[in-house]
Amino acid sequence: MPLEFERPILELEKRIAELKETARTTGVDLEAEIRLLEERLARLKREIYGNLTPWQRVQLARAPGRPTTLDVLEKAFQDFLELHGDRAFADDPAIVGGLAYLEGQKVVVVGHQKGRDTKENLRRNFGMPHPEGYRKAMRLMDLADRFGYPFLSFIDTPGAYPGVSAEERGQAWVIAQSLQRMSRLRVPAIALILGEGGSGGALAIGVANRVLILENAWYSVISPESCAAILWRDAKEAPKAAEALKLTARDLLAQGVVDAIVPEPEGGAHKDPLKAIRNIKEALLRTLEELKGLSPEALYRDRYRRFRTLGAYAES
């Protein structure tokens, strides 16, 4: 399903395809016309994708076909062994994790997981974890500390599940515990925002030494729709909320909330998932190399310093 702002691009691509088909079937030389349209298409793409609004980036972050945690684990890592369950209640499919190799280096990985279709999204609760999902993540944090393996997390959730069942099992308490546990890791910790980074449900596995973000992902205390519904009593004001929240990768980098932006293929990661995953792998390897010389105590202090310096204030 094309996004509204992409329709001019799709219409021009359709016209080019029709001319190529006409040239093939009739033998008429349409090379000059096709070349002109292709040049116009390239300019149009640069114009549209080079000037995306915050709300358009939110839409790209949600685009079907965007790489998920399991896609990254399959294409960028080797020998991923998924571990299930929280040893207390159940296994939460909205969070996946386990052991893997990244270019020969043993790592522990955790990430939100959305579905590819309606059936899988229902099974994975649209990437919105229950408390048992965060308890599973903490179990894997313990594993990383015990064996001294770097801890990598992939964030892609509109938020933790806000339903009654989750609240009955202590959702807010478990998120707080996950924040505390990750902050105390004695190994290198890297978080990467793949798509959506909504509120405490994202931050629960985002207390890392370095936080990376894909170019069209977003990270905020609330989704634009929920913010609009609260402030203006109308979720249709989401574009205005997205602008005010400063949730884009560039805004977050300028504020120091993230440490680096991972580039996406033109038009978004869903246009060329393999290229996006290659960029993710390069960024992770580069960041691990940066952190590998730090002692456990230095990693702890580095993480403390990073989060203590977030935010701006003025003293009168």
Side-chain angles (χ1 to χ4, degrees):
M1 186 72 177
L3 300 172
E4 187 61 36
F5 65 88
E6 292 182 304
R7 289 191 184 280
I9 293 173
L10 297 176
E11 289 170 3
L12 198 49
E13 288 177 337
K14 182 180 177 182
R15 176 62 179 151
I16 292 170
E18 289 171 350
L19 282 180
K20 287 182 176 179
E21 180 62 19
T22 300
R24 187 186 68 81
T25 55
T26 64
V28 177
D29 184 9
L30 298 172
E31 188 63 33
E33 291 89 339
I34 291 171
R35 187 166 60 252
L36 282 172
L37 287 178
E38 287 177 336
E39 290 172 359
R40 189 191 305 174
L41 176 63
R43 287 196 302 272
L44 184 62
K45 284 183 175 181
R46 285 196 300 271
E47 180 183 334
I48 290 177
Y49 293 130
N51 297 282
L52 292 169
T53 67
W55 177 240
Q56 288 169 341
R57 291 190 187 276
V58 169
Q59 292 175 291
L60 286 177
R62 297 168 174 170
R66 194 172 176 86
T68 67
T69 296
L70 287 177
D71 292 332
V72 175
L73 292 175
E74 179 186 352
K75 302 297 184 183
F77 292 75
Q78 302 83 43
D79 298 328
F80 170 57
L81 175 65
E82 185 173 357
L83 300 178
H84 297 271
D86 67 341
R87 299 295 187 265
F89 182 78
D91 182 48
D92 186 356
I95 283 190
V96 297
L99 301 165
Y101 286 91
L102 180 62
E103 288 298 304
Q105 183 170 2
K106 296 176 183 177
V107 294
V108 175
V109 291
V110 163
H112 301 102
Q113 181 63 32
K114 295 179 179 178
R116 283 292 188 211
D117 52 36
T118 302
K119 183 178 179 180
E120 190 185 359
N121 259 323
L122 288 171
R123 185 171 77 84
R124 297 195 182 275
N125 204 34
F126 296 87
M128 296 187 292
H130 286 76
E132 49 269 25
Y134 294 112
R135 281 195 294 263
K136 175 165 63 173
M138 286 188 281
R139 187 164 74 86
L140 289 164
M141 293 173 199
D142 291 340
L143 194 68
D145 261 351
R146 187 177 305 130
F147 293 106
Y149 299 159
F151 183 81
L152 311 180
S153 65
F154 298 99
I155 294 169
D156 188 13
T157 181
Y161 183 58
V164 173
S165 60
E167 294 300 330
E168 287 175 341
R169 297 199 294 278
Q171 183 74 293
W173 178 254
V174 171
I175 288 174
Q177 285 181 311
S178 187
L179 290 167
Q180 182 185 61
R181 179 64 190 90
M182 192 169 179
S183 70
R184 293 178 174 176
L185 281 170
R186 315 294 285 187
V187 295
I190 302 171
L192 192 148
I193 304 158
L194 292 173
E196 300 190 88
S199 193
L203 186 59
I205 57 170
V207 189
N209 293 95
R210 299 291 181 271
V211 179
L212 316 179
I213 186 170
L214 280 178
E215 185 179 355
N216 293 308
W218 65 269
Y219 194 31
S220 176
V221 296
I222 193 171
S223 71
E225 293 92 337
S226 297
C227 178
I230 293 170
L231 293 183
W232 297 291
R233 301 286 191 267
D234 187 358
K236 292 180 181 178
E237 296 288 352
K240 187 195 297 186
E243 184 76 38
L245 286 167
K246 302 297 181 186
L247 46 63
T248 69
R250 290 179 184 174
D251 289 329
L252 296 165
L253 184 64
Q255 297 164 15
V257 176
V258 301
D259 301 291
I261 297 173
V262 180
E264 296 186 25
E266 185 179 56
H270 62 294
K271 299 288 187 182
D272 190 348
L274 289 178
K275 183 176 180 181
I277 291 172
R278 284 197 299 272
N279 292 345
I280 288 169
K281 182 177 180 179
E282 290 172 6
L284 290 174
L285 289 170
R286 190 165 55 246
T287 309
L288 279 173
E289 183 68 23
E290 176 189 341
L291 295 172
K292 76 174 186 179
L294 298 179
S295 67
E297 185 60 33
L299 289 165
Y300 177 83
R301 289 198 306 270
D302 174 81
R303 201 175 305 116
Y304 178 84
R305 174 203 54 77
R306 186 191 184 282
F307 284 89
R308 285 290 289 175
T309 55
L310 287 180
Y313 62 93
E315 294 181 352
S316 58

